[in-house]
Amino acid sequence: QVQLVESGGGLVQPGGSLRLSCAASGFFFSNYVMRWYRQAPGKERELVAYISSGGGSTIYADSVKGRFTISRDNAKNTVYLQMNSLKPEDTAVYYCNVVLRVNYWGQGTQVTVSS
């Protein structure tokens, strides 16, 4: 069955960095677009970043452009989100996502940016 397992979240001070990982299994990873979303308390889930199946194309939300980098290692069935220059407004639960016939989500990893 499809599984997505996120890791790497935590508490970080403003201006700091974190690297999130999402380990995927149960599908042919290198064939599929992968996405990172986030959901802050009281807000709707929003798309943060997208990466094409081969990794050659990426798209970012305006709010994270220039600070976040999405990447993937198809040999390891893993997608990453490098987050730099973190701001308090980046605080959220971060989810990775793949769309096969339906949406699949991981359990999420909490990122808290606070001094």
Side-chain angles (χ1 to χ4, degrees):
Q1 70 277 24
V2 174
Q3 279 196 307
L4 300 170
V5 180
E6 300 97 337
S7 61
L11 173 63
V12 63
Q13 292 188 341
S17 297
L18 283 174
R19 188 195 196 203
L20 306 184
S21 299
C22 171
S25 60
F27 63 102
F28 198 54
F29 180 79
S30 60
N31 276 9
Y32 291 91
V33 164
M34 296 296 297
R35 296 173 179 86
W36 282 98
Y37 283 78
R38 67 185 180 187
Q39 188 166 20
K43 294 190 176 181
E44 292 188 356
R45 195 170 294 190
E46 63 171 349
L47 177 64
V48 175
Y50 151 112
I51 187 165
S52 60
S53 58
S57 178
T58 56
I59 296 173
Y60 298 93
D62 287 344
S63 57
V64 307
K65 277 180 185 174
R67 300 188 298 121
F68 290 13
T69 302
I70 188 171
S71 62
R72 66 192 295 159
D73 186 337
N74 284 347
K76 295 183 178 179
N77 286 5
T78 301
V79 60
Y80 304 98
L81 187 68
Q82 177 67 43
M83 305 186 296
N84 299 330
S85 303
L86 282 161
K87 304 176 180 180
E89 52 263 43
D90 295 318
T91 295
V93 179
Y94 284 72
Y95 301 89
C96 66
N97 165 267
V98 66
V99 181
L100 304 178
R101 291 182 182 178
V102 298
N103 267 303
Y104 288 91
W105 302 92
Q107 82 288 353
T109 186
Q110 176 70 49
V111 171
T112 302
V113 184
S114 175
S115 55

